């Protein structure tokens, strides 16, 4: 099983690289596009989430080690230390996801209040603070 | 016009990101030999977790122990998000009385409701299982807490009358948070270092093992569950304008 | 405790005390101020040794306090004038609000000036300079809403000056590694062949306080809008701080002239001289058309400072001596004149010359002061103003051959007669207005300082040697050797005490006789006629008609000089200010208020940095 | 129990988690507890400052893992100084607001206390942590609290300001996260000392990219132009004490992040020049924008941005002297701008339409607040004998020693602009007729004490700067001494008992 996978990995290495990095960067750019062009506040918040998701995906992606297993020393894997994937990015991404969630939640609550206050959710109409 | 500008900008950013990541080959082993005298951080974690932290799940060890301060911060961020949302969407007493503070509820059929009632304990149980076994299997406090919160979400959207007990939630939240810190302080007292791991009971890969790690993760699990539920509760309580 | 620190401490505690006392008993606030200054005057003249130096360090910077012969001249001037002015204020400021505010700032201003005199290093110099500036700014604001604009102007120009100075100071530190003034001079910080901008920056800084064209626009308003008891030291003493600094810098620049930089020094001399001359002429012309006595005096101050700067710019012994002499005399007579204006304002309620006239009967002592001071101002013998101007002409003609400048100065000096006449005649002579019938002479504590100043003028006019001696010492400190009284034809003949005393005595006798004669005759033979009492000529004027002859006093002259008034420096600065305001208004529009735009800014910034990353950041 | 840096973090957290519980016991407790915590912070700071000035560094490792592997908290004279400053300010801000909120019932006060306290904790965390990802976490704590506090008042446009802050702030966190990610792939560690040690291994192109991402990320927190669009809105809409905390505490943490990255982590040329240019542009644009403001707090916000620009310029000059000057300016700005925001928000609260135009002659009704505001204004524009003068002088001296005359002229020209808009307010405050008679809300005695302490500090430091210059010189030396920092963290990770 493991060997098979490694073989596939080696064979389609470029495509997999492209797939992981491309998806991640693509997600980031899509998120940024939404943030920068969409007028609706909720869409902007969604854009933020997508942007974050892209970064999180990159985190997970760079932690991968060719042929590595999950970094858990479960029974049968006691001495697999040298073939495990990098655990650090996974731990970090856990933190990052939770933080991203918290930010999104706060953002949505702000959107609710903005909508109540201005009766609109268009960002270019909410400009009472300027200059 | 603006869109064109944005697309041009994004293309440039994409180019530079790609340029950077081209030089970071995917799947390359950057950990190095874990048995070196001075390995990389990841290597150190992989080689030392079982002996020194006495847990099988390296990620859990990192999250709760090696980088425990991050997790404490993370818990704080969640706590602050709840607090913040509560203050952002706060209403004065008189507003509370005047406004219809009914929770937003989607029309749910009988099937959904009875299904939710059946599913809720299962989901909660699954969540609790996940955070109790955080040091053995993938998952842990955050994941388990989230699962529990989804159970509550299900209940909140299917039952109009379903109310979380605010008072009890405050208690659980505070106590869970405090127990995280006090477990850390226990380490500070006994080991002279905050979050220091207490000598283990039980064997590796058994439920009772890993010193303080599972205890902390359970506290985190409770806290996350309650906080997420709290956030959902507050956000759902806002009635949209007619 | 060191005497210098003690004096500064007394001043600061006096400032705080007068502020607090005002809350408890407003009446005693002024007296506290007077006592504070009196104590310092006493300490200064009994305890301080000239040329003693106190070293200390503050904030890691070496500092020195000390008084030398040169600054001693200014110390006398500052302390004497502020003592008299504080005495004068007690009654003058009575019944005003916020006395604590006024008096504490008054003391702080004096502190600043004395601190400048004490400082032998640039940093403490600058610190006291700024204390002086902001405390005087606060007093300019004292009169409320309508003075806030002139206060702002004053502060902006002061800041420009102060920061020009600071630039020079830190540059000196950067290039010569010292903040001590004498070290810097020794190492050639003011040497034109080493650098030009340090002395120039310093001169700009001082020129603002000395109200030199084109940096003078703050002065007329600031002088006239602040309370008169303060203006007398504002115009009398504080402007001399600018002169102090300019003298110091210029003397060093001139003494370090070598063959390399003769030309640039010459240019400096000419530019400064002409600026001074133009200042004098323009300010005089503006003074002519003022109907408000305070404003007239304010413009006149600017003009007089112009003379002083002309004197300094010559860089010759006689020129500098004339400048310093004029500086002292100007302080005295302008201090007195502003006190006169204050007394009139206090007793009559206005200083508008078209509204009042004929105060001579009501306020004889004030008139006496005004008369003596005006004689000094106009440069009529035998008082000091004449001596100073004579020496100035002599210096320009015999030592620097700057004949055109002489003409300019002479013109301005002659024109000064016109406004002097207007001031004296407008306020004190002529028929009485009905509105001024109730007016009485000013209170005695206001009269005393004025009369003292007038007497000083007479005495120094008679015995200019009293002033020439310290000035000669001071010039010696500046590096002018062999300063003698016989440099000037005038002083040579008159400056010796015996000669001058005769003239003085005879003029005094004549004055007294004429004065008595006129008084007796006046009381017996003249009839007191009001301006409205002209019914005999056929038409009966209405009550509201303004018939004082001050109205349109110099109308023909005004018409002749009209093109000059059109293009005032004021307008140029105002236009500049408006242009800047427009820029400020434009910049803030960058913050559009749209959150998305801000996000776009971030991305654009990121992209720009990324594109230029290899040029911006290299290994 | 021995006082160690971790107390900075656990004590406020215990309080934060416990406040919801203890507020059930007594209603007043949740107001007081943050104050006690802040006061304890001051005690920690002073104990640690004393120690650090003898020892040089204090490091504490978390969970018993030695430095490159676990997270370590490290206190250098530099960070110790900032932390002490933040602690003292935090306490004063608490003192200022202690009964303020009782009078004005606007929101959930319980959350307010918690968030204010944790914002300060987050800022302290940013400064004392030795781990780059931990720094990110603390940054997020600050960001979330700052956003929530900005939108705390319901009557204002707080939500709008908060949303803008959040939008730009999440860019900041994303950039920092991305930078950390790339950095991790290159050096394989998250400990800042080790990163710094291995920095030379990173290829130049990637290094520059990482630096740029960090600059954008922390630049947003440090209010760099053009990343500071959120700042005027947030400052002007946040409650007064929070604005004070933004200016005094949050920005300092942002600047610290930026400086730490550039001084300690990277060994790249051009970063210093970049700081000077960015600082100059920031300063000029912000100060220009401040002139025409009608909202006092917004004006103060622009001024704050401008001052941060000046701080960056000073850091960019890069000599020991300049760093010292920058630290001094940070200190001054923290106390002065806090004072200005504290007094300014009381003035604004009492003006009729919340603009500068309507504070005419309010000095008669609020004499103490007005005079404190005037002191603050005088100090911030750098007039002696107030403390602001010294920092400006030191910066100029440092610039002059590097012969940057144009820079000096630019700084001073901008100072004149500063004088214009501050003195305009002061003269309005004192010398204009008051037109409207409105009910005056007088500050409570504890607010006055808090403001008075700041004002006295301003004057005392202004008259006798030697009180703190010693510490600052020490701090500046340590910031520039990168090698001994690395050496200490990586080799001498014996825990100090």
């Amino acid at each position: 099983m493991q060997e098979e996978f490694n073989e596939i990995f080696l064979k389609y290495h470029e495509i997999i690289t492209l797939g992981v990095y491309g998806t991640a960067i693509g997600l980031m750019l899509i998120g940024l596009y939404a943030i920068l062009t969409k007028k609706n506040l909720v869409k902007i918040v969604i854009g933020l989430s997508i942007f974050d998701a892209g970064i999180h995906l990159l985190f997970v992606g760079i932690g991968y080690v060719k042929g590595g297993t999950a970094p858990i020393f479960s029974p049968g894997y006691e001495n697999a230390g040298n073939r495990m994937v990098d655990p650090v990015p996974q731990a970090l991404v856990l933190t990052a996801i939770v933080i991203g969630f918290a930010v999104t939640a706060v953002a949505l609550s702000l959107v609710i209040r903005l909508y109540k206050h201005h009766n609109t959710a268009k960002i270019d109409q909410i400009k009472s603070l300027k200059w | 016009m603006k869109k064109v500008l944005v697309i041009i900008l994004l293309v440039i950013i994409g180019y530079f990101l790609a340029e950077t990541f081209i030089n970071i080959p995917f799947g390359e082993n950057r950990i190095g030999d874990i048995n070196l005298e001075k390995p990389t951080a990841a290597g150190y974690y992989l080689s030392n977790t079982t002996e020194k932290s006495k847990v099988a799940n390296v990620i859990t060890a990192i999250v709760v122990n090696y980088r425990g301060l991050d997790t404490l911060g993370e818990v704080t961020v969640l706590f602050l998000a709840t607090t913040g949302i509560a203050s952002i969407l706060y209403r004065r007493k008189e507003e509370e009385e005047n406004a219809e503070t009914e929770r937003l509820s989607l029309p749910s059929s009988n099937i959904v409701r009875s299904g939710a009632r059946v599913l809720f304990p299962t989901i909660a149980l699954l969540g609790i299982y996940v955070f109790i076994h955080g040091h053995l299997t993938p998952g842990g406090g955050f994941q388990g807490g989230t699962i529990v919160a989804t159970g509550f979400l299900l209940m909140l959207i299917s039952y109009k009358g379903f109310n979380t007990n605010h008072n009890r939630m405050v208690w659980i939240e505070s106590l869970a948070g405090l127990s995280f810190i006090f477990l850390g302080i226990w380490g500070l007292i006994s080991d002279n270092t905050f979050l220091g791991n207490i000598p283990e009971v039980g064997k590796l890969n058994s439920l009772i093992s890993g010193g303080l790690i599972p205890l902390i993760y359970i506290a985190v699990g409770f806290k996350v569950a309650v906080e997420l539920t709290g956030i959902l509760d507050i956000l759902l309580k806002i009635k949209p304008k007619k | 405790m060191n005497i210098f620190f003690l004096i500064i401490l007394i001043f600061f505690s006096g400032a705080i005390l007068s502020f607090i006392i005002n809350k408890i008993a407003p009446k005693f606030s002024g007296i506290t101020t007077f006592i504070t200054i009196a104590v310092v005057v006493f300490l200064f003249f009994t305890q301080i040794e000239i040329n003693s130096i106190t070293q200390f360090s503050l904030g890691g910077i070496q500092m020195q306090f000390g008084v030398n012969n040169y600054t001693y001249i200014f110390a006398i001037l500052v302390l004497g004038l502020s003592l008299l002015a504080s005495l004068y204020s007690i009654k003058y400021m009575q019944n005003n609000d916020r006395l604590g505010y006024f008096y504490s700032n008054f003391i702080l201003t004096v502190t600043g000036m004395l601190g400048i005199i004490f400082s032998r290093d640039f940093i403490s110099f600058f610190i006291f300079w700024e204390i002086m500036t902001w405390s005087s700014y606060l007093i300019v604001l004292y009169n409320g809403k309508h003075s806030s604009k002139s206060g702002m102007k004053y502060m902006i120009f002061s800041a420009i000056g102060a920061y020009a100075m600071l630039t020079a100071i830190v540059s000196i530190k950067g290039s010569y590694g010292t903040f001590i003034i004498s070290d810097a001079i020794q190492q050639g910080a003011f040497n034109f062949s080493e650098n030009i901008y340090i002395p120039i920056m310093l001169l700009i800084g001082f020129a603002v306080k000395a109200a030199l064209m084109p940096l003078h626009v703050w002065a007329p308003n600031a002088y006239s809008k602040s309370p008169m008891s303060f203006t007398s030291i504002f115009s009398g003493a504080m402007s001399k701080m600018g002169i102090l600094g300019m003298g110091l810098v210029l003397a060093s620049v001139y003494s370090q002239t070598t063959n390399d930089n003769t030309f640039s020094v010459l240019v400096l001399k000419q530019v400064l001289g002409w600026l001074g001359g133009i200042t004098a002429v323009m300010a005089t012309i503006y003074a002519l058309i003022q109907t408000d006595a305070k404003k007239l005096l304010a413009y006149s101050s600017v003009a007089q400072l112009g003379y002083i700067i002309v004197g300094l710019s010559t860089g010759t012994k006689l020129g500098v001596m004339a400048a310093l002499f004029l500086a002292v005399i100007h302080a005295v007579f302008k201090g007195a004149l502003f006190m006169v204006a204050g007394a009139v304002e206090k007793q009559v309620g206005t200083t508008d010359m078209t509204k009042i006239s004929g105060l001579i009967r009501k306020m004889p002592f004030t008139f006496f002061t005004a008369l003596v001071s005006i004689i000094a101002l106009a440069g009529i013998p035998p008082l000091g103003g004449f001596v100073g101007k004579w020496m100035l002409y002599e210096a320009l003609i015999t030592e620097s051959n700057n004949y055109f400048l002489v003409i300019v100065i002479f013109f301005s000096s002659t024109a000064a007669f016109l406004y002097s006449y207007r001031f004296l005649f407008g306020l004190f002579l002529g028929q009485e207005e009905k509105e001024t019938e109730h007016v009485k002479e000013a209170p005695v504590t206001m009269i005393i300082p004025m009369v003292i100043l007038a007497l000083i003028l007479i005495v120094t006019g008679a015995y200019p040697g009293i002033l020439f001696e310290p000035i000669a010492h001071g010039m010696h400190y500046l590096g002018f050797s062999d300063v003698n009284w016989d440099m000037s034809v005038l002083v040579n003949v008159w400056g010796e005490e015996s000669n001058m005393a005769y003239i003085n005595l005879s003029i005094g006798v004549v004055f007294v006789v004429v004065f008595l004669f006129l008084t007796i005759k006046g009381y017996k033979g003249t009839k007191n006629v009001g301006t409205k009492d002209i019914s005999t000529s056929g038409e009966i004027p209405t009550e509201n008609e303004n018939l004082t002859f001050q109205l349109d006093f110099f109308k023909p002259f005004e018409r002749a000089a009209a093109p000059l008034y059109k293009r005032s420096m004021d307008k140029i600065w105002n236009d500049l200010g408006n242009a800047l305001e427009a820029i400020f208004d434009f910049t803030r529009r960058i913050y559009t208020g749209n959150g998305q735009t801000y996000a776009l800014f971030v991305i654009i910034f990121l992209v720009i940095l990324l594109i230029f990353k290899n040029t911006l950041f290299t290994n | 129990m021995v006082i160690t840096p971790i107390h900075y973090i656990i004590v406020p957290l215990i309080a934060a988690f416990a406040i919801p519980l203890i507020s059930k016991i007594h209603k007043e407790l949740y107001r007081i507890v943050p104050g006690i915590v802040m006061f304890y912070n001051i005690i920690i700071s002073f104990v640690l400052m004393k120690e650090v000035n003898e020892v040089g560094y204090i490091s504490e490792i978390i969970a018993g893992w030695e430095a490159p592997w676990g997270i370590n908290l490290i206190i250098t004279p530099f960070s110790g100084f900032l932390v002490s400053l933040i602690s003292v300010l935090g306490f004063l801000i608490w003192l200022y607001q202690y009964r303020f909120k009782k009078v004005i019932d606007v929101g959930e006060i319980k959350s307010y206390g918690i968030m204010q306290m944790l914002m300060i904790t987050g800022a302290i965390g940013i400064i004392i942590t030795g781990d780059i990802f931990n720094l990110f976490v603390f940054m997020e704590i600050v960001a979330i609290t700052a956003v929530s506090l900005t939108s705390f008042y319901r009557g204002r446009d707080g939500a709008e300001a908060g949303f803008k802050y959040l939008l730009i702030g999440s860019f900041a966190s994303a950039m920092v996260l991305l930078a950390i990610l790339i950095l991790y792939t290159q050096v394989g560690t998250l400990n800042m000392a080790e990163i710094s040690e291995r920095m030379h291994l990173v290829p130049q192109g990637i290094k520059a990219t990482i630096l740029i991402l960090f600059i954008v990320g922390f630049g947003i927190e440090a209010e760099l132009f053009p990343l500071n669009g959120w700042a005027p809105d947030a400052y002007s809409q946040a409650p007064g004490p929070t604005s004070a905390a933004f200016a005094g505490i949050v920005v300092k943490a942002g600047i610290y992040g930026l400086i730490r990255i550039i001084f300690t982590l990277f060994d790249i040329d051009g970063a210093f020049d970049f700081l000077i240019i960015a600082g100059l542009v920031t300063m000029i644009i912000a100060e220009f924008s401040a002139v025409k403001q009608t909202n006092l707090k917004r004006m103060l916000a622009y001024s704050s941005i401008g001052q941060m620009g000046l701080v960056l310029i000073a850091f960019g000059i890069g000599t020991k002297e300049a760093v010292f000057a920058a630290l001094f300016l940070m200190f001054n700005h923290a106390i002065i701008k806090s004072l200005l925001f504290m007094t300014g928000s009381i003035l604004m609260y009492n003006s009729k339409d919340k603009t500068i135009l309507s504070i005419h002659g309010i000095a008669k009704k609020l004499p103490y607040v007005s005079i404190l505001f005037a002191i603050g204004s005088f100090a911030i524009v750098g007039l002696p004998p107030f403390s602001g003068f010294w920092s400006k002088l030191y910066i100029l001296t440092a610039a002059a020693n590097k012969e940057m005359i144009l820079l000096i002229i630019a700084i001073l020209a901008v100072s004149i602009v500063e004088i214009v808009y501050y003195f305009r307010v002061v003269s309005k405050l004192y010398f204009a007729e008051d037109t409207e008679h409105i009910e005056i809300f007088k500050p409570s005695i504890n607010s006055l004490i808090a403001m008075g302490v700041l004002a006295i500090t301003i004057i005392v430091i202004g008259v006798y700067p030697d009180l703190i210059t010693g510490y600052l010189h020490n701090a500046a030396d340590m910031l520039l001494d990168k090698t001994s920092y690395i050496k200490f963290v990586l080799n001498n990770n014996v825990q100090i008992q």
Side-chain angles (χ1 to χ4, degrees), chain A:
Chain A
M1 176 74 187
Q2 194 72 49
E3 272 87 57
E4 266 174 52
F5 186 81
N6 281 352
E7 227 167 80
I8 295 169
F9 184 88
L10 283 178
K11 201 168 171 186
Y12 300 107
H13 181 256
E14 267 104 51
I15 296 170
I16 292 174
T17 305
L18 197 69
V20 174
Y21 285 162
T23 317
I25 293 174
L27 278 177
M28 285 165 67
L29 295 183
I30 290 168
L32 275 179
Y33 181 80
I35 295 170
L36 294 176
T37 57
K38 294 293 165 203
K39 298 280 173 241
N40 193 312
L41 291 174
V42 178
K43 285 183 185 167
I44 290 175
V45 175
I46 292 172
L48 275 178
S49 289
I50 297 175
F51 184 42
D52 274 355
I55 296 178
H56 299 161
L57 190 56
L58 268 182
F59 254 103
V60 181
I62 59 143
Y64 182 70
V65 173
K66 241 177 283 177
T69 65
I72 300 176
F73 292 92
S74 357
Y77 285 88
E78 276 89 356
N79 298 315
N82 263 330
R83 347 181 240 117
M84 284 178 175
V85 298
D86 193 344
V88 179
Q90 300 198 17
L92 299 187
V93 84
L94 188 54
T95 310
I97 287 171
V98 172
I99 288 173
F101 165 78
V103 171
T104 312
V106 173
L108 285 174
S109 68
L110 283 173
V111 172
I112 291 173
R113 227 180 87 182
L114 278 175
Y115 183 75
K116 280 187 164 178
H117 194 273
H118 294 267
N119 215 357
T120 173
K122 296 262 180 282
I123 192 163
D124 50 353
Q125 285 170 24
I126 303 176
K127 291 205 291 188
S128 39
L129 303 166
K130 56 182 173 182
W131 301 334

Side-chain angles (χ1 to χ4, degrees), chain D residues 168-182:
Chain D
I168 310 293
S170 39
F171 270 16
S173 57
M175 297 299 162
V176 172
L177 201 55
L178 200 56
I180 291 173
L181 165 74
I182 302 173

Side-chain angles (χ1 to χ4, degrees), chain D residues 11 20 30 42 65 84 251 268 303 321 412 420 460 462 474 483:
Chain D
V11 175
Y30 62 77
I42 296 181
W65 304 109
S84 314
V251 188
I268 199 162
S303 153
E321 238 183 328
L412 289 176
V420 173
V460 168
N474 206 354
T483 39

Side-chain angles (χ1 to χ4, degrees), chain C residues 39 185 224 336 406 541 578:
Chain C
V39 168
I185 292 175
S224 58
V406 175
N578 289 339

Side-chain angles (χ1 to χ4, degrees), chain D residues 101 112 149-150 152-153 156 237-244 297 345:
Chain D
K101 290 279 166 295
Y112 185 84
L149 285 172
T150 302
F152 188 76
Y153 278 147
R156 305 181 187 174
Q237 296 308 310
T242 308
S243 309
K297 275 166 86 179
S345 60

Side-chain angles (χ1 to χ4, degrees), chain C residues 229-244:
Chain C
S229 61
F230 179 71
T231 308
S232 62
I233 61 168
F234 197 179
S235 155
M238 201 197 288
S239 57
K240 304 304 175 300
M241 294 298 116
I243 302 298
L244 182 154

Side-chain angles (χ1 to χ4, degrees), chain D residues 336-347:
Chain D
I336 300 170
K337 202 43 76 59
S338 303
L339 176 64
L340 283 172
F341 270 114
M342 286 176 181
T343 48
S345 60
I346 293 178
L347 292 177

